[in-house]
Amino acid sequence: MSDTPFGFGLPPEEPENGDEGKKKDPTEGGQGAGGPGGPFGFGPGAGGDNPFAAMFGSMNPNDLGAAFQQLGQMLSYEGGPVNWDMAKQIARQTVSQGAPDGSKDASVGQSERTAVDEALRLADLWLDGVTSMPSGSVSTVAWSRAEWVEASLPAWQQLVDPVAERVGLAMGDVLPEEMQAMAGPLIGMMRSMGGAMFGQQIGQAVGVLAGEVVGSTDIGLPLGPAGKAALLPLNVEKFGKDLSVPQDEVRLYLALREAAHQRLFAHVPWLRSHLFGAVEAYARGIKVDTSKLEDVVGQFDPSQPEQLQDALQQGMFQPEDTPEQKASLARLETALALVEGWVDAVVHEAAKSRLTSSDALRETMRRRRASGGPAEQTFATLIGLQLRPRRLRDASRLWASLTDARGLEGRDALWAHPDMLPTAHDLDDPDGFVHHEQADFSELDKMLGEAAQGRSGNPKAPESPEAEAPKSPEADDQGEGERDEDGKDGRDR
């Protein structure tokens, strides 16, 4: 069983390097902490201890005007809990500086676009034979790293805003009520700085991540526009650089994974909201460490905004140890494992007879995911949550067993509703789930359909509750009297 965090790259701590990797100094340019010098690229190698290095550059005289202008923008920010304009700016600047391995971003050429398009289209053809879900790709695209940043920021916003908002509210709550009115300008300034600091950290992390991802669905969540299958040619080449595998095979294998994710998210309409909702539900149960925040507020010096930066970077979040919070985390981890396990199973089935290096590529991808990386560090620090499909291998075996027992359609039919999916307990006992009697929902569907038809205009359905209520004896007597007076039965009228 693999403890599989969502993240990318092979950091110095990767087990196959033995103990040497664990002894390396994390400040020596490695990515084990998510980038040079720390989880967000601050520290040695990213401008020393200056938390604004990514934004202000080398601080030569030509940069000072822009630096003070951006500082003014930070203090005057009045938007949501995260300054996303700053996040985009920092992310793009981080990309332009190059990845830790020295590779630089570049515009995608026509030959690369053609290769990506052909790989994704061929991948879709191969997947037709291993899943009952049709293609989910409306278009294909080859992205540069900067283009990936632009396309993924809306999804990051949806994931991070709920927790960042809690921090903003907590900044005002830590002061006694009688002091909040007096400290209003200070609290407003801190919230503006907090939004800027969140924006800076998210931007730095997304910029580092842009140097690692190979598509729009690497982390098990759809970060790009719906229906747009994407690969990053520069990072695909980087992925296969040391594998001794032909580049065409590497590209095809990664295209299979991208196309499989696209099918799942396109044809399971509840899945995206289910995953993002699980993240948000978990975030609602996170407590802000008010004691640490009180220290920051009490010692806050507007001339030293790095104090707030340090507090955010150290983390101020403590998950509540409640049944609801544990259930939210279990729901999220199981859902991520099921998504990644399904993709792993169908891609392996499609590739094993066509790509000679499919087994090696599969294991490389699994170990790459298990190694952790900047995205995992981002969530662990900013929202106290590590998005980990912890049981990817177990889920992949379960989906493969379901294929053997129920066929493609029987396996994929489980995605019709979240209540039909395997649970964490089922991952412990896959044989029990695979061979248990399948529930028959046909009668329930029939009853629901008849009920819906009655509500939508069935002429025999009563128009109001009163119409179907039984008549009282008095009403019968009154009706009988009317018929006697008119000399006619009411049905003849």
Side-chain angles (χ1 to χ4, degrees), residues 7 144 146 193:
S144 66
M193 293 296 296

Side-chain angles (χ1 to χ4, degrees), residues 241-311:
K241 184 177 181 181
D242 300 320
L243 296 181
S244 300
V245 176
Q247 186 67 22
D248 288 346
E249 285 203 20
V250 174
R251 186 187 302 111
L252 265 172
Y253 186 83
L254 297 178
L256 281 167
R257 288 184 52 85
E258 175 74 9
H261 276 104
Q262 292 292 338
R263 290 186 181 224
L264 194 59
F265 285 109
H267 299 292
V268 184
W270 54 265
L271 183 56
R272 177 188 173 93
S273 59
H274 181 77
L275 290 170
F276 280 71
V279 174
E280 187 173 351
Y282 184 85
R284 286 196 298 267
I286 291 177
K287 298 185 299 184
V288 177
D289 187 348
T290 55
S291 61
K292 183 179 293 186
L293 192 56
E294 286 172 358
D295 292 340
V296 175
V297 173
Q299 303 174 12
F300 179 66
D301 181 354
S303 66
Q304 297 181 359
E306 65 272 11
Q307 293 175 352
L308 196 57
Q309 170 74 43
D310 293 341

Side-chain angles (χ1 to χ4, degrees), residues 435-458:
H435 299 294
H436 83 286
E437 184 177 353
Q438 293 179 255
D440 184 2
F441 292 95
S442 58
E443 286 300 319
L444 178 59
D445 289 342
K446 181 179 178 182
M447 293 171 60
L448 293 175
E450 291 175 350
Q453 183 180 4
R455 289 194 301 269
S456 62
N458 186 340

Side-chain angles (χ1 to χ4, degrees), residues 400-460:
S401 297
L402 283 167
T403 307
D404 295 336
R406 304 184 186 181
L408 302 181
E409 292 188 1
R411 177 200 65 195
D412 294 345
L414 293 175
W415 289 104
H417 191 278
D419 290 344
M420 297 175 64
L421 288 177
T423 64
H425 173 73
D426 295 323
L427 295 180
D428 295 329
D429 181 22
D431 289 338
F433 180 83
V434 170
H435 299 294
H436 83 286
E437 184 177 353
Q438 293 179 255
D440 184 2
F441 292 95
S442 58
E443 286 300 319
L444 178 59
D445 289 342
K446 181 179 178 182
M447 293 171 60
L448 293 175
E450 291 175 350
Q453 183 180 4
R455 289 194 301 269
S456 62
N458 186 340
K460 295 183 180 181

